[in-house]
Amino acid sequence: MNLFNTIYTGSNQALAAAEGLLKKAIEEKGIDHKVAFPETAYSLPIIYAATGQKMNTLQDLEGAIGVVKSLIDEQPRLEPALNAGLATAVSAEIIEAVKYALNETPYEAPCAGHISDAIIRSLGVPLVTGDIPGVAVVLGECPDSETAAKVIKDYQSKGLLTFLVGKVIDQAIEANVKMGLELRVIPLGYDVTSVIHVVSVAIRASLIFGGIEPGKLAEHMEYTKNRVPAFVNAFGPLSELVVSAGAGAIALGFPVITDQVVPEVPTLLLTQKDYDKVPATSLEARGIKIKITEIAIPVGFAAAFEGERVRKDD
Amino acid sequence: MEEKIYSIDPVTEELARKAEKEGIETLWDRKKVMKTPCGFGEQGLCCRICAMGPCRISPTEGKGAQKGICGATADVIIARNLARMIAAGTATHSDHGRDIAHVLHMAKRDGNYKITDEKKLLNLAKEWEVEIENRDIYDIAHEVAEIALNEFGKPFGTLRFLERAPEQRKSVWEKNDIRTGAIDKEIATIMHSTHIGCCADAKDLVHKGMRASLADGWGGSMIGTEFSDILFGVPVPRETEANLGVLEEDQVNIIVHGHEPSLSEMMVLAAEDPELLQLAKEVGAKGINLSGMCCTANEVTMRHGVKIAGNLNQQELAVLTGAVEAIIVDVQCIFPALAPLTKCYHTKFITTSPKAKITGATHMEFEEEKALQSAKEIVREAVLNFKNRDTKKVFIPKTKSHAVVGYSVEAIKSQLDRVVNSQLDEGGTLKPLADCIASGVIRGAAGVVGCNNPKVKHDYGHVELMKELIKNDVIVVTTGCAAQAAAKAGLMSKEARKLAGKGLAKVCELVDIPPVLHMGSCVDISRILVLVSELAKLLKVDISDLPVVGAAPEWMSEKAIAIGTYVVTSGIDTWLGVVPPVTGSDIIVDILTNKAEDIVGAKFHVEPDPHKAAQQMIERIEEKREALGLATEAVEA
Ligand code: SF4
Ligand code: SF4
């Protein structure tokens, strides 16, 4: 199918899901029920950055649905397609916010879900100094655990911060990838919509470090494109929803590299079927150059390995 | 009294008004004197092919003459006239190509003409199966040139360059018997078939026209472009300026006007000659300022960044600035009006080609055997003329625009290499462009070409059409006077991406190009044929399947008719902004704007309003995208 149509289909699906879930939540909890992510001063960060408005109740979220609708204009052009991608991001944030409204702890270990302001502030310095040279979002399912581990460990060895979304989390666990903030591998959640928690990190970087005013969406997008060196690896069959979320990533300036056959867009949406080359392809697409400190150690050496035990069979 | 606006270009408008005020005649005045054009000629209904005539057919059916004296119907007369226009256009481009091939044939290691791009020569030698191992590059060049020269009159077979088209296109041509033989033969056949008492089948005459037109696009023009690149270098992106504001108050201003780079290339060298520069100082000038007009300008701007003085409708206005020491011309699109006009100023009007002598001009024949010396003599004439300039008469408009030019197919590929991920693809292909089109980031591509024509507001058709297209994420490639209109309007500056839709703007940013790409002169439309052929091959479709369109918003010449015809015959829908003289025949109109699609997969559209034309072009592009199902399959390099 035509790429833009796929995006619009996914964006409409996300919208329908957000509307459905919100309706259910309102029925269950009442329209004035409180909405918030824990430990953040930025309310629902994406909606806040995009509109300047803070979301406090489920009723406010009904208003946010209007924002989503206004972002979906099904014209066969890049601009509306990217906007539809942003619409999906907003829908996802609504869905995730409702999760937190319905349940105090919707995420349990190993999944992190929402990331706190404190963690983002702690990441600020290493991101600026290049100690964290990039942010990888690995999403979906690899053909096998080994492949998943190889890709993730490659990023880990280069000091990148890697977020995991979907089945790849289980694959990483199965292949004994060491995780945790200090190891720079953070599983977010199993639902596609949980990818929003890394978008939220990028957007809050723009709010916190970029000092960009809430409501100035175009400036936030400029900031994330220029200053947050993130990219997405989408593995396994791509649903329309994932494709439209990918468009959201591209709108923020983050290229998407997938193992699936898609209509490619140079530097922004690429197909790389050779998993060994996924990291190099991704880094090149995002323009990430690794500061190599030549150290005569024959194994992957990076800050992310601090505290790793050496297993017997290694 | 209603004020007539001549042009959207402020410089043109200003100078045209100046001429008006001073009573100096320009094309617009002559157009006015012409009054309402003859309705017979306008509809193509008159015939002067034999001395039984002239005959003219009544435009009203059943009333007045319905046939010529020989019995030719309106359909036949119009078809014959159309075929002859195509033949004439093809002849000009072919003779141009032939000359360049001759120049390559005389190229010598220590001569004025040398081989500049060996790689392009070797590629062509390989394509034509010329032995290259252990051979002197000049021997190879001479053999390649000889093969090209034989393309004009070879007794058997079809044109070599037709093989560059995608297989699907070749079989369309094969099936419809359009595969062109020797270039000159096709032209001669049309002249034969259109003689009194010969071909009297309108449909067949159009068919002959289509076939002959390929002898232009895939023959003469392509030879012209290829060989010019080999001799003078493949264009690469470079900066330049456009419009009459490029003339300099304190320098000797020389304008080269016409078409063939064999002359203009030498003029570029001569204008840098230290002795002549010294001479310029001696006559009180700060230097020699060379600029170009029409296609010659395109040739030298593409290869050397020589400034563009203007396009067709501005040639007289250049003289009106009073600051031009010499207009040096060769062939094609040179108004004979320049002869009397230059007499009112100090400007020397110098013709150089035995093919285009003009009464009242100074003829200094350009001899290719001693090309540089010839060019220097001509430049010397211009320099010595500086002292005759009447400073009281000098008026140089301030306006000029910045432009980036030089987008040969090779240059486009190397720009595209910027976005190739080295882990995924090899560079040096059009794959990134094909990807952008297939994914829909760019909706399609449009070639906007052609002349100026006082029937429409100068540059309006070109500029409005291009703006509308880029706004809708259609990338524009352009040549000829259309390209110069774009350059003057600032559409070739990288800044112009602001005027583009987000998709095209993004691509322009990533690839570092303007949204409107200057691909050269009129013969360089053959570059566009090569470009679309390669795109079609990458996407594994025929050219007629591509979301690609063409337009000539302000066409006027027979060359433009030949071009339009070969573009349609190559499978690309073409929009004309000026109505061709065929409206007297329903059959011909039906073939051109309708039935042609069944034969070659494309047709003509006539739409004088550039905004409407743009909408129609965009709709057509979307239709083609739909039909292609773009894009499910990835593009393979
Ligand atoms: S060819 Fe026929 S139509 Fe033409 S001028 Fe002669 S008699 Fe008339
Ligand atoms: S575009 Fe038309 S007017 Fe301009 S140089 Fe070419 S043929 Fe002549």
Side-chain angles (χ1 to χ4, degrees), chain B residues 258-259 294-295 312 332-333 450-452 479-482 522 556-557 559-560:
Chain B
H259 281 78
C294 280
C295 279
L312 185 87
Q332 301 170 24
C333 301
C451 325
N452 288 145
T479 64
C481 290
C522 291
M556 61 92 202
S557 67
K559 290 185 284 176

Side-chain angles (χ1 to χ4, degrees), chain B residues 558-614:
Chain B
E558 291 167 315
K559 290 185 284 176
I561 283 291
I563 292 167
T565 309
Y566 76 65
V567 170
V568 167
T569 309
S570 300
I572 299 171
D573 280 75
T574 298
W575 271 256
L576 300 178
V578 173
V579 185
V582 298
T583 50
S585 165
D586 293 343
I587 291 183
I588 301 288
V589 170
D590 184 50
I591 296 174
L592 296 179
T593 62
N594 183 23
K595 292 223 171 69
E597 196 171 355
D598 304 331
I599 311 167
V600 290
K603 59 188 181 188
F604 281 101
H605 308 247
V606 179
E607 178 51 70
D609 179 339
H611 298 107
K612 284 191 195 148

